Amino acid sequence: MYTKGASLKNCTKGIGFVGSRKATSYAAHVTKSLVQPLVAQGWDIVSGGAEGADTMAHQEALACGGVTRAVLGSGLLKVYPLSNKKLFDAIAANNGTVVSPFSLRSEEHTSELQS
C-alpha cells in the first residue's frame, strides 16, 4: 500500500461516505449536515477520490477542520480523476491521507476492483 500525507496508524475512528458521481445539491446538503457533527465528534471521513459525493465529503471535512482519507483506484503519481489533484494535495497537507493499493504510476483500475 502507498500513502501520501499522515500515517494511517493515527486513524482510530473513521466513517465511510459513498454516493453518486453525479451527486445533486441535495446530496451536498445531506453531506454537510452529516460530516460537520461527525468531525466535531472526532471521526475521520473516509471515501474514494471520485467526483461527486466522494469529493463533497472530503471538501466538507476539510472545510470544517476535520481529517479525511481518500482511497484511490489509481497510483499516487497518476491520480484519477485528475480534476481532484488539488483536493488530494489539500488532504495530504491537512493531516489527512491519500491511499492507493496500486503501484505509484498505475492508471485507473476500477475494472480490477470490480472483479
Side-chain angles (χ1 to χ4, degrees):
M1 181 171 11
Y2 298 87
T3 62
K4 178 180 178 183
S7 170
L8 291 174
K9 292 178 184 176
N10 300 328
C11 184
T12 58
K13 195 171 158 181
I15 188 163
F17 272 76
V18 296
S20 174
R21 289 185 178 174
K22 295 182 181 183
T24 63
S25 59
Y26 176 72
H29 171 74
V30 171
T31 299
K32 184 174 186 170
S33 69
L34 292 173
V35 169
Q36 287 181 354
L38 288 167
V39 164
Q41 293 175 21
W43 287 90
D44 291 355
I45 304 303
V46 181
S47 194
E51 295 172 346
D54 293 0
T55 296
M56 290 175 184
H58 294 305
Q59 288 173 333
E60 189 57 40
L62 291 171
C64 61
V67 174
T68 188
R69 318 285 180 174
V71 182
L72 304 184
S74 64
L76 293 178
L77 298 178
K78 290 281 191 175
V79 295
Y80 180 85
L82 189 55
S83 59
N84 275 351
K85 184 180 181 331
K86 286 183 181 179
L87 174 62
F88 301 144
D89 291 342
I91 290 169
N94 288 282
N95 204 33
T97 313
V98 181
V99 181
S100 174
F102 302 107
S103 63
L104 292 174
R105 296 192 186 279
S106 291
E107 300 288 334
E108 180 186 10
H109 287 281
T110 55
S111 60
E112 287 182 25
L113 292 173
Q114 295 170 358
S115 51

